[in-house]
Each structure stands twice: as C-alpha cells, then as structure tokens.
Amino acid sequence: MAVNWTGEVLAQLRFYWDFSLWPRLEGLTDEEFHWAPVPGAWTVREGPDGRHRPDTAVPEPEPPPVTTIAWRLGHIVVEVLETRVNWHFGDRTATRENADWPATAAEARQRLRHAYTAWTAHVQELDESGLAAPVGGAEAPQWEDFPMVALVLHVNREVIHHAAEVAALRDLYRAEYGR
C-alpha cells in the first residue's frame, strides 16, 4: 500500500490547527496577550527603531524564563513559520534580527493564519523526493544535512508544543481574572 507521506505529515498539523490551536485563540485580547503571569516574564517589547522584539539572553537562563502569550505566539509566527517559509520557499532574507514581532493579539492572529497557510501550501507541494531532499542552506546550520521531512516534523512539534503553552497561559489568565 502506498502512503502519501506529505498528506500524513500535513494532516497532523492541520488537525491540531483546526481543533486545538485556532479555536483556542478566539477572543484573545491585547491585555491577555501581554499579561505577565510572573514577575520577570519574557515578553515582546518595542525597540528604539520601532520594531517589536522578544526578550532574550545568550546563553538562555537555566531554567528558561516564563514567557507571555505575546512571546510564545511571536515565536511561532516569526521563528517557527515566517522565517522558515522565507528560508525554504522564499528569498532567504528573513532573520530574527530584522523581524518585527507581532505587537497586538489581532496582528499575531492575522500573521499566524497567513504564515500557517503559506507553510502548509509550500509543504503540500513537496513530493516524496522533496521530503527526502537535504534541507541544505538552512537558516540554522544544524539542519543542513537533515532531510526536509525532519524539518517539517520539527515545525509540527514546535507549533503543537508552543501553542499548547499558549493554551495553558490562557487557562491561567482565565482562572486569575475570570474571563
């Protein structure tokens, strides 16, 4: 029996999008988007140049800091999806340094939908040989020798993992503020 590997890989992400991620973002407000659940939580801030950037440190503290929904959704939008769409299917100009992270809940939702749609459309075009081809020239050198399917599955994991954290933060916000 032949297996449509592209279809199977995308089915995992699409199911999560349709039944978990996108419905859980319904009604997200700017107040909730920027809510810091603990003192010192990492978030997204406007820089002197007007671009919005995530709090970060190199090396990352151990344990990693708690983050806001703005930070988590921005990570999914910019680093997990937009940058990878650009690097693997575009002109390879997007970087963490030149990115402008979403500043509002509405912007995050809009960019997330756009990035998800672009990513899944491009992955849909990969056949079995496209999934098996080396990632090569990746935005992160550690991916260069892996087959594209490894990166696609990694993106699935990243979206599922971080969106689940967003859902947990929404649950905590609702419990704290009764909304």
Side-chain angles (χ1 to χ4, degrees), residues 10 40 42 58 69 71-72 79 81 83 88 113 123 137 144 147 149 153:
L10 281 174
W42 279 5
V58 177
I69 292 173
W71 198 101
R72 287 283 165 207
E79 295 178 325
L81 292 170
T83 301
H88 300 288
R113 179 182 280 286
V123 171
E144 289 184 9
V149 71
L153 289 169

Side-chain angles (χ1 to χ4, degrees), residues 153-166:
L153 289 169
H154 174 70
V155 167
N156 285 7
R157 282 191 308 268
E158 283 282 291
V159 169
I160 292 167
H161 166 83
H162 293 299
E165 292 171 326
V166 169

Side-chain angles (χ1 to χ4, degrees), residues 9-161:
V9 168
L10 281 174
Q12 179 187 50
L13 185 59
R14 287 178 173 152
F15 181 86
Y16 185 75
W17 175 272
D18 290 340
F19 295 100
S20 296
L21 192 163
W22 195 247
R24 285 301 305 261
L25 295 179
E26 180 77 28
L28 180 66
T29 66
D30 287 345
E31 180 181 318
E32 185 179 3
F33 183 69
H34 291 288
W35 172 64
V38 298
W42 279 5
T43 193
V44 174
R45 302 174 199 281
E46 186 174 359
D49 62 357
R51 284 192 311 207
H52 295 83
R53 292 189 177 87
D55 291 336
T56 188
V58 177
E60 186 175 286
E62 191 57 47
V66 173
T67 58
T68 63
I69 292 173
W71 198 101
R72 287 283 165 207
L73 274 182
H75 174 66
I76 296 169
V77 168
V78 175
E79 295 178 325
V80 175
L81 292 170
E82 287 178 344
T83 301
R84 291 205 168 101
V85 166
N86 178 266
W87 271 83
H88 300 288
F89 307 107
D91 65 9
R92 297 182 173 201
T93 58
T95 65
R96 188 176 200 179
E97 290 72 36
N98 68 18
D100 186 16
W101 282 42
T104 66
E107 180 187 0
R109 283 176 39 92
Q110 182 270 329
R111 285 178 60 186
L112 177 64
R113 179 182 280 286
H114 182 266
Y116 163 80
T117 300
W119 175 257
T120 56
H122 286 297
V123 171
Q124 182 69 51
E125 296 300 315
L126 296 172
D127 58 12
E128 196 169 320
S129 63
L131 289 174
V135 170
E139 80 284 2
Q142 68 266 27
W143 286 104
E144 289 184 9
D145 296 328
F146 282 90
M148 187 64 173
V149 71
L151 181 65
V152 172
L153 289 169
H154 174 70
V155 167
N156 285 7
R157 282 191 308 268
E158 283 282 291
V159 169
I160 292 167
H161 166 83

